[in-house]
Amino acid sequence: MKKLRFYFSFILSGVLLVLNTVAQTPTTTQVAGASKDNTITTKNNALPNVLILATGGTIAGAAKSGAQSAYTSGQVTIDAMVNAIPEVTKIANIKGEQISNVGSQDMSFDIMMKLANRINALKDNTSVDGIVITHGTDTMEETAYFLNLVCKTDKPVVLVGSMRPSTAISADGPLNLYDAIAVAADANAKNRGVLLVMNDWIHSAQTLTKVSTTAVQTFMSPIKGLIGTTAYGTNEFYRYPSQKYGEKSEFSIEGATKLPRVDIIYADADMNPDLIDAAVKLGAKGIVIAGVGNGNMNKVALDACARASKQGVVVVRSTRVATGNVARNVEVNDDQLGLIASYGLNPQKSRILLSVALLKPRKLDELQKIFMEY
């Protein structure tokens, strides 16, 4: 009987010890794996809440071997990407939504608008402090710039990707994602517009561009420089973007189902104007010329652009050169020909801005002012 009482007392003491331990940790709720609402981390009320909107890309890519360049984009789920960086649970609570699962070469305006509408719907949602978007790098600058124009929130919105698939020997995706979450969770990232975080650098959507087909340091902000840097979740911010964005932007896609057609035409030596004329005939509402030098092109191409402008098609002169502004009336008489100068925007961003701007009728002088302000 004494032995029975001893064993009973021993078991009771163990149960009380476990209950006491549980009672002392009331702020954390463990969630195993991905639930129906895509919760993929523990919940800690002391941490900021970050929502990941996944679109696919190399960061979610996989290959048969860790030492090969060929791979397939969009093969890895959000929870698998986050589970690869368990340390992230110390800096934020994570939820995920799969918006699409495509390589960025297949990114569309439909997906961009879906992202923008989702972000705008979260503007006043106090349960989301920051947003991360996983995205392929090929068209990331276009999506980032589009969101910068039409998303009306001061919350951090951070795009992130990778140059190597998740199965690579030295995959860059996990640390990029960790840093992007850290930036999105940082209150100092608010009111800086849409950002891109890769390879320890924080870029503005206004200034970034992809400069290498394969290098992990593929994004640069060559004219105005970085917004800041990040190192294993420690962020340092240098500046705010200088152009209009976010809540200061006049653009809206509310009620829009598609964007007007705007084509990019590449200029070169002895350029043939046929593609300009064809774009007009096929219904383009705008044309962006990736011009030589300071947005230049030969006389027959300029004449075709002038004809297009007289028919109501907006023509923007940008440049195929990596850096520098295309100013108005420098070597081309924009006033006489009815053309727009892109200033600091490259051809792909010029197309995004013109597509959004043409959602409502605008005069040429108004459009030129927009290209100077955005």
Side-chain angles (χ1 to χ4, degrees), residues 335-347:
D335 293 339
Q336 180 181 351
L337 299 176
L339 309 181
I340 304 294
S342 70
Y343 282 81
L345 294 180
N346 61 22

PDB file of all heavy atoms in Angstrom, residues 335-347:
ATOM      1  N   ASP A 335       7.578  68.548 -79.096  1.00  0.00           N
ATOM      2  CA  ASP A 335       6.432  69.453 -79.214  1.00  0.00           C
ATOM      3  C   ASP A 335       5.844  69.400 -80.618  1.00  0.00           C
ATOM      4  O   ASP A 335       4.619  69.350 -80.794  1.00  0.00           O
ATOM      5  CB  ASP A 335       6.869  70.886 -78.896  1.00  0.00           C
ATOM      6  CG  ASP A 335       7.263  71.074 -77.444  1.00  0.00           C
ATOM      7  OD1 ASP A 335       6.843  70.248 -76.608  1.00  0.00           O
ATOM      8  OD2 ASP A 335       7.992  72.037 -77.137  1.00  0.00           O
ATOM      9  N   GLN A 336       6.707  69.409 -81.612  1.00  0.00           N
ATOM     10  CA  GLN A 336       6.247  69.417 -83.009  1.00  0.00           C
ATOM     11  C   GLN A 336       5.662  68.070 -83.420  1.00  0.00           C
ATOM     12  O   GLN A 336       4.640  68.018 -84.120  1.00  0.00           O
ATOM     13  CB  GLN A 336       7.410  69.778 -83.931  1.00  0.00           C
ATOM     14  CG  GLN A 336       7.027  69.821 -85.406  1.00  0.00           C
ATOM     15  CD  GLN A 336       8.235  70.167 -86.286  1.00  0.00           C
ATOM     16  OE1 GLN A 336       9.286  70.528 -85.800  1.00  0.00           O
ATOM     17  NE2 GLN A 336       8.057  70.041 -87.601  1.00  0.00           N
ATOM     18  N   LEU A 337       6.264  66.980 -82.946  1.00  0.00           N
ATOM     19  CA  LEU A 337       5.842  65.648 -83.379  1.00  0.00           C
ATOM     20  C   LEU A 337       4.739  65.045 -82.506  1.00  0.00           C
ATOM     21  O   LEU A 337       4.146  64.036 -82.875  1.00  0.00           O
ATOM     22  CB  LEU A 337       7.055  64.707 -83.387  1.00  0.00           C
ATOM     23  CG  LEU A 337       8.200  65.101 -84.320  1.00  0.00           C
ATOM     24  CD1 LEU A 337       9.370  64.152 -84.155  1.00  0.00           C
ATOM     25  CD2 LEU A 337       7.730  65.117 -85.769  1.00  0.00           C
ATOM     26  N   GLY A 338       4.486  65.643 -81.354  1.00  0.00           N
ATOM     27  CA  GLY A 338       3.441  65.127 -80.461  1.00  0.00           C
ATOM     28  C   GLY A 338       3.869  63.895 -79.691  1.00  0.00           C
ATOM     29  O   GLY A 338       3.073  62.956 -79.507  1.00  0.00           O
ATOM     30  N   LEU A 339       5.111  63.872 -79.189  1.00  0.00           N
ATOM     31  CA  LEU A 339       5.658  62.716 -78.492  1.00  0.00           C
ATOM     32  C   LEU A 339       5.875  63.025 -77.008  1.00  0.00           C
ATOM     33  O   LEU A 339       5.921  64.181 -76.595  1.00  0.00           O
ATOM     34  CB  LEU A 339       6.980  62.285 -79.135  1.00  0.00           C
ATOM     35  CG  LEU A 339       6.966  62.095 -80.661  1.00  0.00           C
ATOM     36  CD1 LEU A 339       8.330  61.652 -81.148  1.00  0.00           C
ATOM     37  CD2 LEU A 339       5.878  61.110 -81.078  1.00  0.00           C
ATOM     38  N   ILE A 340       6.048  61.961 -76.230  1.00  0.00           N
ATOM     39  CA  ILE A 340       6.285  62.053 -74.785  1.00  0.00           C
ATOM     40  C   ILE A 340       7.685  61.549 -74.487  1.00  0.00           C
ATOM     41  O   ILE A 340       8.118  60.530 -75.035  1.00  0.00           O
ATOM     42  CB  ILE A 340       5.254  61.201 -73.997  1.00  0.00           C
ATOM     43  CG1 ILE A 340       3.830  61.621 -74.339  1.00  0.00           C
ATOM     44  CG2 ILE A 340       5.515  61.279 -72.489  1.00  0.00           C
ATOM     45  CD1 ILE A 340       3.463  63.008 -73.912  1.00  0.00           C
ATOM     46  N   ALA A 341       8.392  62.242 -73.602  1.00  0.00           N
ATOM     47  CA  ALA A 341       9.709  61.787 -73.145  1.00  0.00           C
ATOM     48  C   ALA A 341       9.559  61.037 -71.829  1.00  0.00           C
ATOM     49  O   ALA A 341       8.808  61.461 -70.940  1.00  0.00           O
ATOM     50  CB  ALA A 341      10.651  62.980 -72.959  1.00  0.00           C
ATOM     51  N   SER A 342      10.267  59.920 -71.691  1.00  0.00           N
ATOM     52  CA  SER A 342      10.074  59.040 -70.531  1.00  0.00           C
ATOM     53  C   SER A 342      10.830  59.484 -69.290  1.00  0.00           C
ATOM     54  O   SER A 342      10.593  58.972 -68.203  1.00  0.00           O
ATOM     55  CB  SER A 342      10.523  57.616 -70.887  1.00  0.00           C
ATOM     56  OG  SER A 342      11.941  57.558 -71.031  1.00  0.00           O
ATOM     57  N   TYR A 343      11.772  60.413 -69.437  1.00  0.00           N
ATOM     58  CA  TYR A 343      12.637  60.843 -68.339  1.00  0.00           C
ATOM     59  C   TYR A 343      13.335  59.628 -67.706  1.00  0.00           C
ATOM     60  O   TYR A 343      14.070  58.944 -68.380  1.00  0.00           O
ATOM     61  CB  TYR A 343      11.872  61.717 -67.355  1.00  0.00           C
ATOM     62  CG  TYR A 343      11.735  63.125 -67.913  1.00  0.00           C
ATOM     63  CD1 TYR A 343      10.749  63.432 -68.849  1.00  0.00           C
ATOM     64  CD2 TYR A 343      12.624  64.119 -67.546  1.00  0.00           C
ATOM     65  CE1 TYR A 343      10.653  64.706 -69.410  1.00  0.00           C
ATOM     66  CE2 TYR A 343      12.549  65.401 -68.099  1.00  0.00           C
ATOM     67  CZ  TYR A 343      11.559  65.688 -69.031  1.00  0.00           C
ATOM     68  OH  TYR A 343      11.495  66.927 -69.596  1.00  0.00           O
ATOM     69  N   GLY A 344      13.125  59.309 -66.426  1.00  0.00           N
ATOM     70  CA  GLY A 344      13.910  58.267 -65.775  1.00  0.00           C
ATOM     71  C   GLY A 344      13.394  56.851 -65.934  1.00  0.00           C
ATOM     72  O   GLY A 344      13.961  55.930 -65.348  1.00  0.00           O
ATOM     73  N   LEU A 345      12.341  56.650 -66.701  1.00  0.00           N
ATOM     74  CA  LEU A 345      11.735  55.322 -66.803  1.00  0.00           C
ATOM     75  C   LEU A 345      12.257  54.560 -68.022  1.00  0.00           C
ATOM     76  O   LEU A 345      12.269  55.083 -69.139  1.00  0.00           O
ATOM     77  CB  LEU A 345      10.212  55.427 -66.884  1.00  0.00           C
ATOM     78  CG  LEU A 345       9.507  55.976 -65.636  1.00  0.00           C
ATOM     79  CD1 LEU A 345       8.004  56.025 -65.864  1.00  0.00           C
ATOM     80  CD2 LEU A 345       9.836  55.152 -64.408  1.00  0.00           C
ATOM     81  N   ASN A 346      12.645  53.307 -67.791  1.00  0.00           N
ATOM     82  CA  ASN A 346      13.060  52.451 -68.894  1.00  0.00           C
ATOM     83  C   ASN A 346      11.836  52.009 -69.696  1.00  0.00           C
ATOM     84  O   ASN A 346      10.696  52.299 -69.317  1.00  0.00           O
ATOM     85  CB  ASN A 346      13.878  51.260 -68.379  1.00  0.00           C
ATOM     86  CG  ASN A 346      13.108  50.368 -67.411  1.00  0.00           C
ATOM     87  OD1 ASN A 346      11.873  50.352 -67.400  1.00  0.00           O
ATOM     88  ND2 ASN A 346      13.824  49.613 -66.597  1.00  0.00           N
ATOM     89  N   PRO A 347      12.001  51.323 -70.824  1.00  0.00           N
ATOM     90  CA  PRO A 347      10.847  50.972 -71.660  1.00  0.00           C
ATOM     91  C   PRO A 347       9.774  50.164 -70.940  1.00  0.00           C
ATOM     92  O   PRO A 347       8.575  50.423 -71.102  1.00  0.00           O
ATOM     93  CB  PRO A 347      11.482  50.175 -72.803  1.00  0.00           C
ATOM     94  CG  PRO A 347      12.865  50.709 -72.906  1.00  0.00           C
ATOM     95  CD  PRO A 347      13.286  50.987 -71.510  1.00  0.00           C
TER      96      PRO A 347
END
